[in-house]
Amino acid sequence: MKVSNETTEMETVMEEPKMSGNEVEQFLLNNTEFIVEHLKKHGTPTLIKKISDIKPSTPRKMPMFNTAPRNSITTSMFKRYVEGNLTRIKQERKNMTELKKMSEAELFTELIKDIATELDVNVLCHKILQNVNILTKSDRSSLFLVRGSKENRHLVSKLFDVTETSTLQESLHTEETEIKVPFGRGIAGYVAQAKDTVNITDAYEDPRFNNDIDKKTGYRTMSILCMPISNYEGEVIGVAQIINKAGNGIFTVEDERLFEKYLTFCGIGLTNAQLFEMSVMEYKRNQMLLNLARGVFTEQTNLDKLIKKIMLDAQGLLKCERCSVYLIDDSLEGDKNKFTGMFARIMQKYNNKHLSRSTSQDYNHPDHEHEEKKITSTQDVVFSKAFDLYPRDGGNFHVPSAALLKTSRNAEIARHVVVAAVPLNIADITQENDYCKGSFDEDQNFKTKSVLCMPIYNSDKKIIGVTQLINKINGNPFNESDANTIEAFSIFTGLGIHNCQMYENACKLMAKQSVALEVLSYHATAQNDETEKLMTCDIPAAENLGLYTYEFNDLPMSEDETLKSTIAMFRDSNIIKNFRIPYDVICRWTCSVKKNYRPVTYHNWRHAFNVAQTMFTILYTGGLIPLFDDLEVFALLAGCLCHDLDHRGTNNAFQVKVESPLAMLYSTSVMEHHHFDHCIMILNSEGNNIFQSLSSEEYRKVIKMLEHAILSTDLALYFKKRGDFKKIVDEGEKEFQEPIKKDLLKAMMMTVCDVAAITKPWEVQYEVAHMVANEFFEQGDIEKTQLGEKPIAMMDRDKQDELPKMQVGFIDAICIPVYKMFAELNPGLEPMFVGVSNNRNNWQALAEDNERKINGNGQAKTTEKDKENEKEKDEIKEENDSPQTIKPPRTSKVKPDQPLTARKSSIKSKQITPQKKVAIKEPKGKTKICMLM
């Protein structure tokens, strides 16, 4: 039995793994020869018969999305022609004996067929002339093609002295050997200009005949028949000339008829061949420009390297002896570090609408005008740098000095191009009096003959430089095709240079920003002596500091006491211990946060400290602490302290209105996003990372919670979320375990803490309201004086008497709903609802008092009842003159020790009895009310 078990186990181990059906199918697809061999060895006749009856499956034809309808033969031929792989179909021309036996019509048809399919201009012209010799029985022939612009047209000898037996290579003239004939000069020039046929029986008797060729070759020209070749529009595109009629040597009228008839077809063929040649050249040029552009845009980090690459490409593109690039001084464009394009429009918009509002500077002064210089002469053009490439000098790059640029004649030509803002093509520099007086030799080893200059534009169509090419290697001047090529190349060049300059400017600005951030970080971070002072202080217990109470008042506290209280909150909530925060780090971070609040009237460090204290109170006194873990408590307290960092004393609407840099950075919750970014900057400063002991996952979570907390202080988001929160509270939610519900709770808690000053005892609320109002009025003053706009009522200092009524509206619209929901959520939060209700009564009393005092004419009404009230106020005023100058009103009828049902009933009824005797001492020069934000 034991042996059997061992054998079974061995067989199990040795058993080969089974293959799935998909694996077998994949194996057979990859090894078709295996199928064949298997069928040969094991295939039965029946199996083979079944296989033979199977029809092969037709693969589904996939649509050719990338193929447009086109002539595949023409496309293939064009591609082969461009690549130089066109295989010519050799056509056997009939011999002279066979041609002579043909009728005129047959001969004519045969000669037309010979040229009908030829697209190479040189081969076509050679065939045309050979066929003309056969057709007219002439000894030899020549063909001239029209070149140049309409204003300066001339003929060039494409093929010269072609006979029936001469080859193309023997007759073809290159650019170096071609003969140029101006229109109107010589026999061919006359025919081209007059568009007329010339039949000369004795060439030497015609004054237009030039016998230099006869003298050179020893050939004797007797008769000449010269006729223009026209295109379908009737324009002369060439001139054909035949010499010496066989036999008596005179061309007849019949010869003219045959010649003209054949040249009509030749004009069509020649036009098509030239168009095809232009298409091929344009295709090659585009491919070359794309390659050059690709090369230009690969180098975007160094301007000198980019310019050198551009010069090498340009020199190789047009085969010139010398290439130079001149860059215009940035001062012509204004600020050397200015942006262009989209960035320029943004910054100009900012400068015009924001900086111009400054009262300390007059931006209409010439020193502040942002206008570009108007270039009217070459003296206004200053080249900041130039690069010179002279291949014969070993291909070395030279950078001329500033002194040399001032005296260089080549640079002077480039300056003319900048002034005129047009390309310049000089065929012979010695004939241009505008640019050359006397010899144009700038150095002993080089002589300038022809010059092609092209301006370089950036994306704003502003000239930023000039490309200058000198002397084509073949000795000819630059033609129109060269100008078109370098113009297209200059577009890519301009973009490349512009992008490179933008990159360099961006790098400089980033470096400046890095230095500025380093400096700001140093000054924004608490110094060692501040940190050490806080570290060595005795920190009282949070309970002793009153941090657990809703009535907490920071007004009597010193700045140092607020710092101690902050440390006390972190310590007594066990955050320092639980997250192993070094004591010097928490002290330094607290001092740094305080330091990064601006000394604005209200949204300063004191406000942030009060928001954090309220959060501490509602967590521990209000009974919300069981809903959150330690990391969430850490994030909430830190978020409260940082929620208004670097506040400027103006709201989001103001930032958007003036299109400030902050508004450009953030599309929504402008200031809140800035507060969060500033918070991150402090955390990233050395010695300020209070989250340094957290794991990467904890760090990610706490940063996300920190951002959520700070952004939630935007009241616009509060209004969006309040309805959802009310629905959850009405449903009786108490646990808030779902992440969405918990995030909603934390967002509402941030709002509750942010506006908690409205819940404080009346004397505290009054003082804080006074500060808020002053900050709002300061923004309103800016809108009046600098923006020329009328501010809204709560920010208009002229309407401060209307603020009690608006304050009541603010409490009803924003404060009462949220504090009522929290009172229903947890009984421990009810005192906040009681506080805001009592303060509403006081603001309402002030609003009603103002309405009684002010009549339609703005004069005070005096009634018997008012007299009684004034007497009662005088009695209370005596109490206000005592050290306790501001008396808080009596508390609400809602008592904390009532049962929960009674409290809820009282809360829902909102029947808060106004205080009958409320008198407020109004300090001189101070605003007594505001809408708290």
Side-chain angles (χ1 to χ4, degrees):
M1 191 68 181
K2 184 177 181 182
V3 174
S4 176
N5 286 338
E6 290 178 353
T7 304
T8 303
E9 292 174 0
M10 183 63 69
E11 289 176 350
T12 303
V13 172
M14 296 300 293
E15 183 179 358
E16 294 184 0
K18 295 181 180 181
M19 295 179 65
S20 65
N22 290 335
E23 291 174 337
V24 173
E25 183 180 3
Q26 188 64 37
F27 173 82
L28 295 177
L29 288 174
N30 297 333
N31 300 273
T32 53
E33 67 279 2
F34 175 84
I35 301 175
V36 177
E37 293 298 326
H38 178 79
L39 291 175
K40 286 180 181 180
K41 294 180 180 179
H42 308 289
T44 62
T46 304
L47 178 61
I48 299 297
K49 179 66 170 59
K50 286 183 179 180
I51 293 175
S52 61
D53 292 338
I54 297 175
K55 294 181 179 180
S57 60
T58 303
R60 185 175 61 178
K61 188 175 182 180
M62 299 301 293
M64 302 294 290
F65 295 108
N66 61 340
T67 305
R70 58 186 178 184
N71 188 327
S72 59
I73 299 176
T74 305
T75 303
S76 177
M77 182 178 66
F78 181 82
K79 186 176 181 180
R80 293 198 305 271
Y81 193 97
V82 169
E83 295 173 351
N85 298 326
L86 183 63
T87 304
R88 298 182 179 277
I89 301 175
K90 190 173 183 180
Q91 297 178 347
E92 293 292 338
R93 178 185 291 176
K94 299 184 184 298
N95 57 40
M96 290 300 297
T97 303
E98 292 176 321
L99 292 174
K100 288 178 180 179
K101 292 179 181 179
M102 293 181 180
S103 64
E104 179 184 315
E106 291 175 337
L107 177 61
F108 205 80
T109 302
E110 184 68 24
L111 296 182
I112 290 175
K113 286 171 59 179
D114 187 41
I115 66 171
T117 58
E118 186 57 61
L119 293 174
D120 188 296
V121 174
N122 295 333
V123 177
L124 176 64
C125 292
H126 186 258
K127 285 185 177 183
I128 289 174
L129 294 180
Q130 284 191 324
N131 292 343
V132 165
N133 289 339
I134 296 172
L135 192 62
T136 61
K137 298 180 178 61
S138 57
D139 184 51
R140 57 188 60 192
S141 56
S142 300
L143 181 65
F144 299 87
L145 297 181
V146 177
R147 293 286 186 266
S149 62
K150 290 185 177 181
E151 297 77 16
N152 187 27
R153 290 188 297 175
H154 60 275
L155 298 173
V156 295
S157 58
K158 193 68 175 177
L159 291 104
F160 200 74
D161 282 351
V162 177
T163 65
E164 293 180 9
T165 59
S166 62
T167 64
L168 174 63
Q169 288 71 23
E170 293 172 347
S171 308
L172 184 63
H173 278 192
T174 63
E175 291 186 0
E176 290 78 10
T177 60
E178 66 185 13
I179 301 171
K180 294 182 181 179
V181 181
F183 267 37
R185 185 177 299 178
I187 297 173
Y190 169 79
V191 171
Q193 187 176 53
K195 299 182 181 180
D196 194 12
T197 301
V198 172
N199 191 346
I200 303 173
T201 57
D202 189 349
Y204 280 84
E205 292 182 358
D206 194 305
R208 294 169 296 185
F209 176 68
N210 186 345
N211 63 354
D212 290 343
I213 302 298
D214 283 4
K215 290 179 180 179
K216 185 182 294 185
T217 61
Y219 182 81
R220 175 73 179 181
T221 302
M222 293 181 292
S223 58
I224 299 175
L225 178 58
C226 196
M227 190 172 291
I229 303 175
S230 302
N231 61 13
Y232 69 96
E233 292 180 338
E235 294 183 356
V236 176
I237 60 174
V239 173
Q241 178 178 281
I242 52 178
I243 301 173
N244 293 353
K245 170 81 173 185
N248 60 9
I250 298 175
F251 293 102
T252 64
V253 176
E254 182 64 17
D255 292 330
E256 291 183 22
R257 185 185 67 81
L258 289 173
F259 195 21
E260 182 180 7
K261 187 177 180 181
Y262 186 68
L263 289 183
T264 301
F265 291 96
C266 293
I268 298 173
L270 185 59
T271 300
N272 291 337
Q274 287 179 327
L275 289 174
F276 184 78
E277 184 181 54
M278 290 173 60
S279 299
V280 173
M281 291 177 61
E282 188 66 23
Y283 176 82
K284 290 182 177 179
R285 188 170 75 100
N286 289 340
Q287 292 298 313
M288 184 165 46
L289 287 173
L290 286 175
N291 290 332
L292 293 174
R294 190 178 297 111
V296 166
F297 287 112
T298 55
E299 180 55 67
Q300 296 284 282
T301 59
N302 187 284
L303 185 60
D304 289 2
K305 291 181 180 179
L306 176 64
I307 296 297
K308 291 177 181 179
K309 181 171 181 57
I310 289 172
M311 294 170 67
L312 285 172
D313 290 340
Q315 193 276 334
L317 186 64
L318 295 184
K319 303 296 188 293
C320 59
E321 293 183 356
R322 197 166 187 170
C323 178
S324 300
V325 173
Y326 300 88
L327 297 181
I328 296 178
D329 192 349
D330 290 338
S331 61
L332 291 176
E333 300 291 334
D335 185 4
K336 290 189 176 183
N337 289 324
K338 82 166 191 173
F339 285 109
T340 57
M342 177 187 68
F343 300 101
R345 290 189 289 274
I346 292 175
M347 295 310 297
Q348 184 177 9
K349 198 174 184 182
Y350 169 71
N351 289 335
N352 290 342
K353 294 189 177 183
H354 183 72
L355 295 181
S356 60
R357 299 185 182 111
S358 174
T359 57
S360 61
Q361 296 185 19
D362 180 10
Y363 283 90
N364 293 322
H365 191 275
D367 292 340
H368 297 288
E369 289 181 352
H370 189 69
E371 296 182 356
E372 296 179 2
K373 283 186 177 181
K374 184 68 176 178
I375 303 175
T376 57
S377 69
T378 56
Q379 295 179 353
D380 296 332
V381 181
V382 179
F383 293 126
S384 61
K385 204 169 188 180
F387 301 84
D388 190 20
L389 172 63
Y390 185 23
R392 291 185 181 179
D393 187 25
N396 295 321
F397 290 94
H398 300 280
V399 179
S401 63
L404 183 59
L405 286 176
K406 290 181 180 180
T407 59
S408 170
R409 292 187 176 184
N410 288 334
E412 184 65 17
I413 295 176
R415 280 189 278 268
H416 276 281
V417 171
V418 175
V419 174
V422 293
L424 184 62
N425 190 353
I426 304 175
D428 188 353
I429 193 66
T430 60
Q431 302 299 320
E432 296 287 343
N433 294 328
D434 293 338
Y435 312 111
C436 178
K437 295 179 181 179
S439 175
F440 204 84
D441 300 337
E442 289 206 348
D443 57 64
Q444 298 177 353
N445 301 322
F446 187 83
K447 183 176 182 180
T448 300
K449 299 176 184 177
S450 58
V451 178
L452 176 60
C453 251
M454 190 68 59
I456 301 173
Y457 294 89
N458 63 10
S459 59
D460 288 334
K461 298 181 180 179
K462 302 292 177 61
I463 297 178
I464 59 175
V466 176
T467 301
Q468 186 180 79
L469 308 177
I470 303 176
N471 296 357
K472 292 195 73 171
I473 293 176
N474 59 18
N476 293 328
F478 296 97
N479 54 34
E480 185 176 358
S481 177
D482 296 329
N484 292 336
T485 301
I486 198 63
E487 182 178 13
F489 178 64
S490 293
I491 295 175
F492 297 109
T493 300
L495 292 175
I497 293 176
H498 173 68
N499 290 343
C500 196
Q501 289 176 330
M502 289 287 292
Y503 177 81
E504 290 188 346
N505 286 339
C507 288
K508 291 178 182 177
L509 291 177
M510 287 179 65
K512 290 181 180 179
Q513 183 188 39
S514 178
V515 173
L517 287 176
E518 184 181 354
V519 173
L520 289 174
S521 177
Y522 173 78
H523 290 287
T525 302
Q527 301 301 309
N528 291 333
D529 55 345
E530 300 176 73
T531 305
E532 292 175 0
K533 180 180 179 181
L534 182 58
M535 290 175 61
T536 56
C537 287
D538 292 330
I539 307 298
E543 185 175 1
N544 296 337
L545 293 169
L547 297 174
Y548 288 100
T549 65
Y550 290 106
E551 297 80 13
F552 177 80
N553 179 13
D554 74 295
L555 296 176
M557 299 177 70
S558 66
E559 295 294 306
D560 290 342
E561 288 174 326
T562 61
L563 295 174
K564 295 178 184 179
S565 299
T566 302
I567 299 298
M569 285 188 286
F570 281 111
R571 182 197 61 194
D572 290 9
S573 59
N574 291 324
I575 288 176
I576 298 176
K577 177 181 178 182
N578 291 342
F579 295 102
R580 303 182 304 280
I581 307 174
Y583 195 63
D584 64 319
V585 172
I586 190 66
C587 291
R588 184 179 296 104
W589 178 83
T590 303
C591 294
S592 297
V593 169
K594 174 183 176 296
K595 193 173 184 179
N596 277 269
Y597 275 93
R598 299 192 182 198
V600 294
T601 306
Y602 175 67
H603 288 96
N604 48 39
W605 161 249
R606 290 286 184 144
H607 167 64
F609 168 67
N610 274 283
V611 173
Q613 183 275 328
T614 304
M615 179 64 72
F616 184 79
T617 300
I618 65 175
L619 285 171
Y620 292 97
T621 305
L624 295 180
I625 193 66
L627 301 179
F628 304 100
D629 59 32
D630 291 342
L631 192 64
E632 289 172 321
V633 174
F634 193 4
L636 286 171
L637 288 177
C640 289
L641 289 170
C642 298
H643 84 281
D644 271 334
L645 276 169
D646 196 46
H647 201 289
R648 283 89 190 281
T650 53
N651 58 14
N652 288 338
F654 181 85
Q655 298 296 326
V656 174
K657 186 183 298 182
V658 300
E659 296 179 348
S660 68
L662 290 178
M664 294 180 187
L665 285 174
Y666 315 109
S667 57
T668 59
S669 302
V670 176
M671 291 306 300
E672 287 74 21
H673 276 104
H674 176 59
H675 302 325
F676 172 70
D677 287 348
H678 209 86
C679 170
I680 298 301
M681 186 201 76
I682 295 175
L683 289 172
N684 290 333
S685 301
E686 185 177 357
N688 284 275
N689 189 0
I690 56 176
F691 304 130
Q692 63 185 26
S693 299
L694 301 181
S695 66
S696 58
E697 180 63 20
E698 289 175 328
Y699 192 88
R700 184 188 64 80
K701 287 182 179 180
V702 78
I703 294 298
K704 186 176 180 180
M705 289 189 289
L706 197 62
E707 181 181 23
H708 174 265
I710 294 175
L711 295 185
S712 296
T713 58
D714 185 357
L715 283 180
L717 299 180
Y718 159 74
F719 284 114
K720 292 180 181 179
K721 297 177 179 180
R722 189 174 69 182
D724 295 335
F725 184 68
K726 185 178 187 306
K727 182 178 179 181
I728 294 174
V729 173
D730 291 344
E731 291 174 353
E733 177 65 49
K734 298 295 182 180
E735 301 299 327
F736 291 92
Q737 294 300 314
E738 297 179 25
I740 295 178
K741 292 182 178 180
K742 181 171 283 191
D743 285 344
L744 193 57
L745 173 62
K746 288 189 286 187
M748 291 297 106
M749 289 170 63
M750 290 300 298
T751 301
V752 163
C753 297
D754 196 18
V755 298
I758 202 74
T759 69
K760 297 290 183 179
W762 175 247
E763 62 271 20
V764 178
Q765 153 65 185
Y766 174 78
E767 289 292 336
V768 173
H770 163 72
M771 291 186 288
V772 179
N774 278 342
E775 185 174 287
F776 282 175
F777 291 152
E778 288 166 6
Q779 176 177 323
D781 294 342
I782 296 174
E783 292 178 359
K784 284 181 183 178
T785 59
Q786 298 187 29
L787 303 185
E789 297 181 1
K790 185 176 180 62
I792 61 177
M794 74 174 184
M795 295 186 179
D796 191 350
R797 197 181 296 273
D798 297 333
K799 294 186 177 182
Q800 55 183 314
D801 291 338
E802 300 178 14
L803 285 175
K805 184 177 180 180
M806 288 187 292
Q807 187 72 0
V808 172
F810 170 75
I811 294 175
D812 289 342
I814 296 176
C815 303
I816 289 290
V818 69
Y819 289 114
K820 178 183 177 183
M821 287 186 287
F822 271 84
E824 294 175 357
L825 177 66
N826 192 307
L829 301 171
E830 186 179 332
M832 301 184 78
F833 177 72
V834 174
V836 68
S837 301
N838 287 335
N839 288 329
R840 182 192 183 282
N841 291 337
N842 292 324
W843 293 122
Q844 181 67 36
L846 287 174
E848 292 173 355
D849 188 54
N850 284 344
E851 289 178 1
R852 287 195 303 269
K853 286 183 178 180
I854 306 300
N855 61 14
N857 298 324
Q859 297 177 348
K861 293 181 180 181
T862 304
T863 63
E864 291 299 325
K865 188 174 182 179
D866 289 335
K867 291 179 180 179
E868 294 178 3
N869 290 337
E870 288 297 326
K871 182 179 179 181
E872 186 177 8
K873 288 181 180 180
D874 289 339
E875 294 175 357
I876 299 175
K877 184 176 183 300
E878 295 179 2
E879 299 178 5
N880 289 339
D881 290 334
S882 63
Q884 181 64 42
T885 58
I886 302 176
K887 293 294 183 180
R890 292 190 296 273
T891 59
S892 169
K893 291 183 179 181
V894 180
K895 301 299 182 181
D897 55 351
Q898 282 182 307
L900 179 59
T901 54
R903 287 198 295 268
K904 286 188 176 181
S905 174
S906 180
I907 291 168
K908 290 179 181 178
S909 65
K910 294 173 57 177
Q911 298 296 325
I912 308 300
T913 303
Q915 302 299 315
K916 297 298 183 180
K917 296 183 179 181
V918 177
I920 303 172
K921 181 178 181 181
E922 303 173 5
K924 295 182 180 180
K926 292 187 178 181
T927 306
K928 61 183 180 181
I929 50 175
C930 77
M931 182 177 286
L932 185 62
M933 298 294 289

